Amino acid sequence: MITKSTDRGASWSTPAALPVALGLDRAETGPGRALQLSRPPHAGRLLFSGWRDQKLGDTEGEIVFYSDDGGSTFAAAPSFAGGGAEAQLAESSNGTVIAMFRINQDGDQSSKGRLLASSVDGGAHFSAARFDADLRSVACQASILRSKESGRVYYSAPSDLKLRKLGLVRSSPDGLDWSNRSGSAMTV
């Protein structure tokens, strides 16, 4: 469902089915949050991730939806291939959009890393998703956010499923280099 507020959340429009708003037969959103871009030339663009059904004639998988008119209409970037799920989005200091994915795994819940993709055109197209072994965690949803103060993109996810420890890795300013050479890693 999609609903919108023009008065900072005091009132909301009547919810509409999201697939109808996107012109799709079936699509699912989340988990996660939407992102409003702040860097030109796509400042103000709204982005959110979801899942696109294979019946739509495109590859089934994670997808990014975007709107340039405050959510009145939406378009969709091409679907991602490669078995990723639960995409999280962040905008780097230079305006690159980073998409990070949980890797779908059977059985073993210990992830060997995450998938990353990037977009230099405001989320309309993304690079092929690549594997990053420096982003180890259990196979569950993670989060990425850019700090307004430092401009760095931060990643957090559980580092151990049984002990419920939180892991945190700081990225380089571009949000694509997650090695310990460009930041720090800690387990809390």
Side-chain angles (χ1 to χ4, degrees), residues 163-179:
L163 300 176
R164 303 285 185 198
K165 289 184 178 178
L166 176 66
L168 176 66
V169 178
R170 184 177 75 190
S171 84
S172 66
D174 66 6
L176 297 172
D177 178 5
W178 294 91
S179 67

Side-chain angles (χ1 to χ4, degrees), residues 28 37 44 49 85 94 103 129 143 148 150 157:
E28 301 168 4
L37 300 182
S49 66
N94 68 8
I103 298 173
S143 186
K148 290 181 182 180
S150 70

Side-chain angles (χ1 to χ4, degrees), residues 17-29 48 50-53 55-58 61 63-65 74-77 79:
L18 190 57
V20 172
L22 295 169
L24 302 174
D25 293 331
R26 182 171 165 224
E28 301 168 4
T29 62
F48 65 93
W51 184 265
R52 186 176 207 172
D53 195 305
K55 297 175 199 166
L56 302 172
D58 199 352
I63 191 164
V64 172
F65 301 103
F74 289 90
S79 299

Side-chain angles (χ1 to χ4, degrees), residues 134-155:
D134 286 317
L135 294 169
R136 294 177 186 216
S137 74
V138 296
C140 69
Q141 179 185 342
S143 186
I144 57 173
L145 285 171
R146 179 174 53 92
S147 166
K148 290 181 182 180
E149 289 78 27
S150 70
R152 299 180 76 84
V153 179
Y154 290 84
Y155 160 77

